[in-house]
Amino acid sequence: MRIHVESHQYAETVLEGQFREEWEQLLDVLGTLDVPLRPLGPFTRSGRPRSPKRQNRMIGGRRASALMPVDQAAMNERIREALARLGWSPEPYILIDREERPIDTRLRGDFEKSGVFVEVEFGNVASFYRDLFKFHIAGTTGAARVGVIVVATDALARLFDQGQARFEQAVSLLPYMRAGVQLPTAIVGLDVNDWSRIRVRYDAMQALVESNGEGCHSFDAVMGL
């Protein structure tokens, strides 16, 4: 995958200097990630989500189904498995007491190693704001020394849901993070180098849905090509 990085409070510089090993591990896991795709079928008209997963969208003055071949839940799981093999701790506490003992609350991160806290956010925008709150708390208590939020770029997110946190949107918040997030935080955007495999799955899903009498937007229309 192609990786984009933007920094709050010089986070990338901190990571490359004090946490080079952890940063390189994370970038390697993300950069070699193979985007998982949803199964082609079966076709269903009801249920949530419908199969193939799709949503009605207005694109170019036409309302039809936009298909979502990328499986973000599977992406999360692949990242979790890869980081676990490298010794990253899952669900770290973000609150510690003065003796640096963890305080058991519902506030947990996704992954941690050597003070590097990582949130993988393929959920909605509200979840992204919760991540920033957790980083604020973790930085204030000393549980974290630097934070990383991993999100999809706008192009990738179009193919797995609506209303998701997106890299471009996250970057636009950087000027305002100074007011509430003191922890150096890197925003990592995941993009796709080669869309051909995803396009093939999209086209196959489109053929299945249209053979059952429903209109679909093309891959190019969804991607704004």
Side-chain angles (χ1 to χ4, degrees):
M1 300 197 75
R2 186 184 308 125
I3 295 174
H4 309 275
V5 181
E6 293 287 344
S7 289
H8 166 66
Q9 300 282 44
Y10 308 103
E12 189 173 10
T13 300
V14 174
L15 287 161
E16 290 176 345
Q18 298 177 248
F19 305 98
R20 179 176 293 275
E21 180 180 352
E22 292 79 13
W23 182 231
E24 289 180 349
Q25 286 180 354
L26 180 61
L27 291 180
D28 183 64
V29 166
L30 299 176
T32 58
L33 182 66
D34 190 24
V35 178
L37 302 180
R38 299 181 187 279
L40 172 59
F43 176 83
T44 61
R45 294 190 184 279
S46 59
R48 190 173 180 179
R50 294 176 294 170
S51 178
K53 186 176 180 181
R54 58 198 188 276
Q55 293 177 346
N56 287 328
R57 295 184 189 171
M58 182 69 74
I59 300 176
R62 175 178 177 244
R63 181 167 292 281
S65 290
L67 298 162
M68 299 169 199
V70 176
D71 189 338
Q72 73 266 35
M75 286 179 63
N76 262 320
E77 182 61 19
R78 291 186 182 183
I79 293 171
R80 185 195 67 78
E81 291 175 351
L83 290 179
R85 288 194 294 268
L86 294 170
W88 289 71
S89 301
E91 298 187 0
Y93 294 100
I94 69 167
L95 286 170
I96 58 175
D97 62 21
R98 293 181 178 179
E99 283 71 42
E100 297 187 357
R101 295 173 301 194
I103 300 173
D104 190 2
T105 70
R106 294 183 180 181
L107 292 174
R108 301 281 191 96
D110 283 341
F111 309 99
E112 182 273 337
K113 189 174 185 181
S114 303
V116 180
F117 265 54
V118 177
E119 291 285 335
V120 179
E121 191 52 76
F122 299 140
N124 59 35
V125 176
S127 297
F128 176 81
Y129 288 111
R130 284 194 294 271
D131 293 339
L132 293 182
F133 173 73
K134 287 190 285 185
F135 279 171
H136 170 68
I137 297 298
T140 301
T141 65
R145 297 176 64 188
V146 63
V148 181
I149 300 181
V150 180
V151 290
T153 58
D154 178 72
L156 178 58
R158 293 181 193 189
L159 297 174
F160 58 63
D161 219 331
Q162 285 185 303
Q164 306 304 100
R166 303 180 184 214
F167 175 72
E168 294 82 357
Q169 180 185 37
V171 169
S172 72
L173 297 174
L174 283 172
Y176 309 100
M177 287 171 60
R178 298 189 188 97
V181 182
Q182 298 305 311
L183 185 71
T185 301
I187 301 175
V188 176
L190 297 186
D191 206 350
V192 177
N193 284 316
D194 183 359
W195 294 96
S196 58
R197 186 172 64 94
I198 300 174
R199 179 191 286 269
V200 168
R201 179 56 54 86
Y202 190 104
D203 290 346
M205 287 179 166
Q206 180 180 357
L208 175 61
V209 172
E210 289 180 341
S211 71
N212 283 274
E214 289 189 17
C216 282
H217 295 295
S218 68
F219 178 85
D220 286 349
V222 171
M223 300 302 290
L225 301 175

